[in-house]
Amino acid sequence: MAEVVLVHCTSYDNHEVEGAIRRGIDLLGGVKRFAKKGERILLKPNLLAADPPEKCTTTHPAVFGAACRIFKETGARVSYGDSPGRGSSASVAAQAGLHDVAVEEGIPLDDFQTVVEVSHKEGRQNKKFSLAKAVVDADGVISLPKLKSHALEKITGGVKNQFGCVPGFLKAEFHAKLTNAFEFGRMLVDLTNLVRPRLYILDAVYAMEGNGSRSGNPRKMNLLMLSDDPVAIDATACRLIDVDPELIPTIVYGQEFGCGTYLEEEIQLSGDPFQEFVCPDFDIDRGPIEKYVSGSGSKLAVVLLAIIKIKVGARLFDNLLISKPQIDASKCLKCGICIQICPTQPKSIDWVDGDKSQPPRHDHNRCIRCFCCQETCPEGAIFVKKPLLRKIFGKY
Ligand code: SF4
Ligand code: SF4
């Protein structure tokens, strides 16, 4: 039986957050269950990008600070780190407000530069990983995810948070190789099974909805969630925001690969009542992730789609039905970051005829829909466009 603790927390006031997390950890059996004197404990927040805390891109400094203090008390040697989508860990930690807290608490930023190859024989899809040295050296990892909508995997929470254990540019290789949400989700589960964080403290005091995981809007949920089961924590979060957990690859494969459970009858909730945090109008796509491609859905819809595919050709069919990244030219500052981050060669987004005075343009015939450009754009100028046919067929 998995245990997920829901704790009410109305603000990022340091005192309130720390009290809520202490209460949650006590309900799970106390902090000594998760760290012992002398152990190396790595705190792994979400440091996706260099945004200030109020943007809700990253784990809030108040949550991080509380975790620092609580785990320091165990006598463990506590460090922290993450590998952001772009930029150095230090600069992102500074902008996100974690650096100052870490200095105050005497917690060092650990080594997320050095790459260590690790074999993972039990991996169901990925048998080896390149991990940050800090992760390999740690006796235990405490994962501090943020609840956010996500263009590729629909949500980012417990399971997805471990992707930052893969250093810098190596993340792009996974995007280039694993070109759909299902393959990518399987890799994330393999990775989480390898890293095996001892505890997850999910920050949903303010979550992010809409155009996440960087350019969405803060959504107040007054909630901190704690568990040692990342699948159960993600599935419970999904139920709170009215998303079917069976639509999330990291949750479905998480169950299948023994990473945790999403079944309601196998999850014991404790702490504050579930109903206090229900958020049915959370802005998120509740449709399936391109499931029609594998032929699921009603028979009539599948037959119609097969006919359309033959008639128009596979490429055009994909463009007519699969959600795609789109640029809002009015928001674009022509910085070119989206081009740098695109993992395909040649690039699937580029300047038109080299003209940097105009926004870049996507080549949707080449694009693998990893949505790295959407996730990384600092201006929120890239959004996910759902084609009309997809909207129609998605219902069936
Ligand atoms: S879309 Fe975003 S990342 Fe790309 S050039 Fe414009 S502002 Fe920069
Ligand atoms: S254009 Fe964007 S979504 Fe398409 S492959 Fe490049 S980064 Fe990924």
Side-chain angles (χ1 to χ4, degrees), residues 3-14:
E3 187 169 9
V4 176
V5 179
L6 309 177
V7 195
H8 202 251
C9 184
T10 59
S11 73
Y12 284 123
D13 169 75
N14 284 330

Side-chain angles (χ1 to χ4, degrees), residues 327-328 331-339 349 351 358-360 362 373 376-382:
I327 293 186
D328 177 346
K331 291 185 180 171
C332 176
L333 294 187
K334 296 119 191 162
C335 65
I337 289 171
C338 51
I339 301 171
I349 181 168
W351 306 113
Q358 297 298 317
H362 284 99
C373 53
T376 316
C377 173
E379 302 303 319
I382 302 183

Side-chain angles (χ1 to χ4, degrees), residues 301-349:
V302 171
V303 170
L304 278 174
L305 290 173
I307 293 169
I308 294 171
K309 189 166 185 169
I310 292 165
K311 290 279 180 202
V312 305
R315 246 321 155 190
L316 186 54
F317 172 84
D318 283 352
N319 283 331
L320 286 172
L321 278 156
I322 297 180
S323 299
K324 51 188 160 196
Q326 197 90 11
I327 293 186
D328 177 346
S330 67
K331 291 185 180 171
C332 176
L333 294 187
K334 296 119 191 162
C335 65
I337 289 171
C338 51
I339 301 171
Q340 291 164 22
I341 207 84
C342 178
T344 67
Q345 283 304 336
K347 300 283 183 181
S348 303
I349 181 168

Side-chain angles (χ1 to χ4, degrees), residues 6 159 191 242 312 345 389:
L6 309 177
V159 175
L191 175 60
D242 194 27
V312 305
Q345 283 304 336
L389 268 182

